[in-house]
Amino acid sequence: MTTSFYLAAAVALASTLMVITRARIIHALLYFIISLFSVSIMFFAAGAPFAAALEVIIYAGAIMVLFLFIIMILNLGAEAAAQERQWLTPGIWLGPSMLALILIADLAFLISRGGGYANGLYAVTVQPKDVGIALYGPYLLGVELASLLLLAGLIGALHLARRNVPEEGEDGTGIN
Amino acid sequence: MSTLQYLILIPGLIFVLMSVASGLIWLERRLLGIWQDRYGPNRVGPFGILQVLADILKVFTKEDWVPPFADKPVFIIAPAIIVVTVLITFAVVPFGPRAGLADLNIGLLFFLAMSSLGVYSVALAGWASDSKYSLLGGLRASAQMISYEVFMGLSLMGVVMLAGSFNLRTIVLAQKHMWNIVPQFLGFIIFMIAGIAETHRLPFDLPEAESELVAGFHSEYSGMKFGMFFLGEYFGITLISAMMTTLFLGGWFGPVLPPIVWFAVKTLAFICFFILLRATLPRPRYDQLMSFGWKAMFPLSLVNLLVTGGLILAGR
């Protein structure tokens, strides 16, 4: 399990690097999906199969498809790729790389201290039932807040997508 | 199971599935012929069964052409995605009391996850072809599959509540005395409709509607790349039928005959039913399909969830 965890972690790092450096946006998106898969395998290896499945169903299977949907509509071709290539100059890497270096140093320091996580990583398997009980027990308020946020998003989307035609068409679709 | 057993079982399962999928080419055309009052392919071999071989030879010898305007890597990978995601799901299907590859405790979620990944195949194929018919087909496919996936998952939660587990083997064992189709009839109907939409079979084949979109997302595909989409569709039908058998028709349970035969018989019955649907139902308009999904099936699956939960609570 440890091997597959670190293998997946390596794939996650490599694919995320590819996401940032691709000029064609669809290729970047495909690498991003691979990155999500490897995170899912990391969850699985760390004893959280439910979170692993949800990662694939929600992130890779739904949200990324919506991204793809938008990109398909935008029809970004070779022109956009050339523009992207122009923007990705070596100088632009300087700031983010410095910040990322600080984080890596921080992480290396924490790991070298041998924190409590290293051993407990594979000790228990979180069952789907445990997740459900936790969500509707101690974290009920968080679930309710998230649902309020989603409801607001839903109403906003409905408002934006609604046509200014008061009566619906005869087939009930609102298209006359 | 030992590694050696896996090494024998996995190619064996893939071989069986390949045979089933290619046999379905003949079965579908023959059954359609019978239901439409004509013969269907009956020239090659006894009852035309060698038509399968002829079709395979044909598809392999066709020119495998990648359009110069296509995005080559994405164009090539797209047909592989659908075949891989469907085949990988068969790993969690329990074919019999001791048969089946993986006994995953989140088996049902694994099925949902893989079926939600299948959408990439059609969406990417539509985008990479760089042709307007393909793009329209790909857009339709992704919208349709995302919408129908939502209540496909919801309709199965009643089954999960009855069995108290996401493990497909446990779900089958929970149906020992009564098949889920009785207490979860609504869930069964919703899952079946969503399953047809997920595999984009007729009458829900709007992504490839040939009367308006040439051939939809696979307009630009030829040779074995087209064959992969074709194969993926038949694998998809087999998978949905096998899942309906597992989740609602008691899996391998049945009198007299050995368990695995029962499983095969039930699955085959569902496959034939899918073909019958194709022979009888006309294709709806695209906006009708979407509003049917969101305005009828989605609320119904929520009601099913509520009622099932209430009855389980009351029965305690």
Side-chain angles (χ1 to χ4, degrees):
Chain A
M1 276 308 204
T2 319
T3 325
S4 57
F5 181 88
Y6 284 110
L7 195 66
V11 173
L13 284 178
S15 55
T16 312
L17 198 67
M18 295 298 271
V19 175
I20 308 168
T21 51
R22 290 310 87 187
R24 291 212 83 164
I25 191 157
I26 289 265
H27 297 172
L29 195 77
L30 287 178
Y31 279 112
F32 193 27
I33 294 162
I34 299 292
S35 160
L36 288 172
F37 285 161
S38 37
V39 172
S40 163
I41 291 182
M42 281 157 71
F43 274 133
F44 198 87
F50 189 65
L54 286 191
E55 176 90 15
V56 178
I57 294 176
I58 295 173
Y59 284 97
I63 295 179
M64 282 296 114
V65 180
L66 290 180
F67 272 54
L68 185 68
F69 201 82
I70 302 295
I71 291 168
M72 278 163 81
I73 294 174
L74 289 180
N75 191 22
L76 300 168
E79 247 173 74
Q83 192 185 37
E84 190 78 15
R85 222 167 267 132
Q86 210 179 0
W87 284 344
L88 278 178
T89 51
I92 213 159
W93 294 102
L94 201 66
S97 313
M98 294 297 281
L99 291 175
L101 263 180
I102 297 173
L103 281 183
I104 288 177
D106 202 11
L107 191 67
F109 174 69
L110 281 177
I111 290 174
S112 67
R113 291 274 301 271
Y117 297 104
N119 296 326
L121 198 57
Y122 316 111
V124 280
T125 304
V126 184
Q127 297 295 340
K129 218 174 231 172
D130 303 334
V131 179
I133 289 168
L135 276 181
Y136 283 90
Y139 298 107
L140 185 62
L141 191 65
V143 174
E144 290 298 332
L145 284 176
S147 69
L148 268 183
L149 193 67
L150 284 175
L151 187 66
L154 197 65
I155 294 172
L158 185 71
H159 178 73
L160 287 177
R162 218 165 74 123
R163 287 161 190 260
N164 286 327
V165 184
E167 70 268 62
E168 292 199 327
E170 58 187 6
D171 50 1
T173 56
I175 301 164
N176 285 327
Chain B
M1 267 193 282
S2 68
T3 318
L4 187 71
Q5 274 174 309
Y6 276 121
L7 283 180
I8 298 167
L9 272 176
I10 293 171
L13 181 62
I14 291 180
F15 177 76
V16 170
L17 288 171
M18 286 281 189
S19 321
V20 169
S22 48
L24 282 181
I25 302 176
W26 171 77
L27 184 74
E28 171 157 38
R29 292 177 61 184
R30 206 64 219 271
L31 283 180
L32 280 178
I34 291 167
W35 283 320
Q36 291 166 350
D37 234 357
R38 55 188 174 85
Y39 287 117
N42 65 349
R43 296 287 121 180
V44 200
F47 304 107
I49 190 101
L50 290 180
Q51 182 71 37
V52 173
L53 203 64
D55 278 351
I56 291 174
L57 280 177
K58 184 181 106 176
V59 88
F60 267 112
T61 48
K62 287 250 172 171
E63 187 188 358
D64 194 359
W65 188 65
V66 179
F69 45 81
D71 188 316
K72 209 173 171 197
V74 182
F75 188 85
I76 291 171
I77 205 171
I81 293 175
I82 185 113
V83 175
V84 169
T85 53
V86 177
L87 274 185
I88 219 169
T89 318
F90 276 103
V92 293
V93 176
F95 297 100
R98 298 175 61 79
L101 288 179
D103 197 10
L104 204 60
N105 63 346
I106 49 154
L108 188 60
L109 288 173
F110 185 78
F111 159 70
L112 289 174
M114 287 303 135
S115 77
S116 68
L117 292 182
V119 64
Y120 283 115
S121 176
V122 276
L124 289 175
W127 177 82
S129 300
D130 207 0
S131 115
K132 54 189 127 182
Y133 297 116
S134 302
L135 187 68
L136 280 173
L139 280 177
R140 279 186 180 187
S142 36
Q144 170 180 336
M145 287 172 82
I146 283 198
S147 309
Y148 276 71
E149 212 160 75
V150 173
F151 50 84
M152 183 179 195
L154 272 180
S155 68
L156 294 180
M157 289 309 125
V159 174
V160 174
M161 279 198 270
L162 285 179
S165 170
F166 283 109
N167 188 324
L168 290 173
R169 203 166 283 277
T170 318
I171 289 175
V172 174
L173 289 174
Q175 301 176 63
K176 191 159 190 179
H177 302 294
M178 184 168 49
W179 291 355
N180 270 338
I181 190 169
V182 182
Q184 283 293 314
F185 189 70
L186 192 58
F188 168 71
I189 297 290
I190 296 169
F191 178 71
M192 188 168 67
I193 293 174
I196 302 169
E198 276 293 295
T199 48
H200 37 87
R201 286 278 300 170
L202 270 150
F204 294 152
D205 70 333
L206 278 302
E208 45 188 302
E210 57 268 71
S211 53
E212 25 178 338
L213 290 184
V214 188
F217 61 90
H218 59 59
S219 299
E220 306 291 337
Y221 281 86
S222 63
M224 200 48 214
K225 289 202 192 69
F226 166 76
M228 294 277 267
F229 281 122
F230 211 64
L231 205 61
E233 187 175 319
Y234 282 119
F235 281 146
I237 303 167
T238 317
L239 177 67
I240 291 290
S241 305
M243 288 307 287
M244 289 205 293
T245 307
T246 309
L247 296 167
F248 293 99
L249 273 198
W252 63 75
F253 285 120
V256 189
L257 293 172
I260 199 139
V261 175
W262 268 112
F263 191 90
V265 166
K266 290 173 188 173
T267 307
L268 192 67
F270 275 125
I271 293 175
C272 293
F273 181 68
F274 276 148
I275 298 172
L276 178 65
L277 278 185
R278 174 181 175 167
T280 45
L281 290 178
R283 186 186 288 146
R285 224 171 49 218
Y286 190 66
D287 58 299
Q288 288 169 336
L289 175 86
M290 292 306 268
S291 60
F292 175 69
W294 285 107
K295 290 179 184 166
M297 302 311 318
F298 184 58
L300 270 180
S301 57
L302 284 178
V303 167
N304 179 46
L305 198 63
L306 188 71
V307 171
T308 312
L311 285 180
I312 289 175
L313 264 185
R316 268 200 185 149

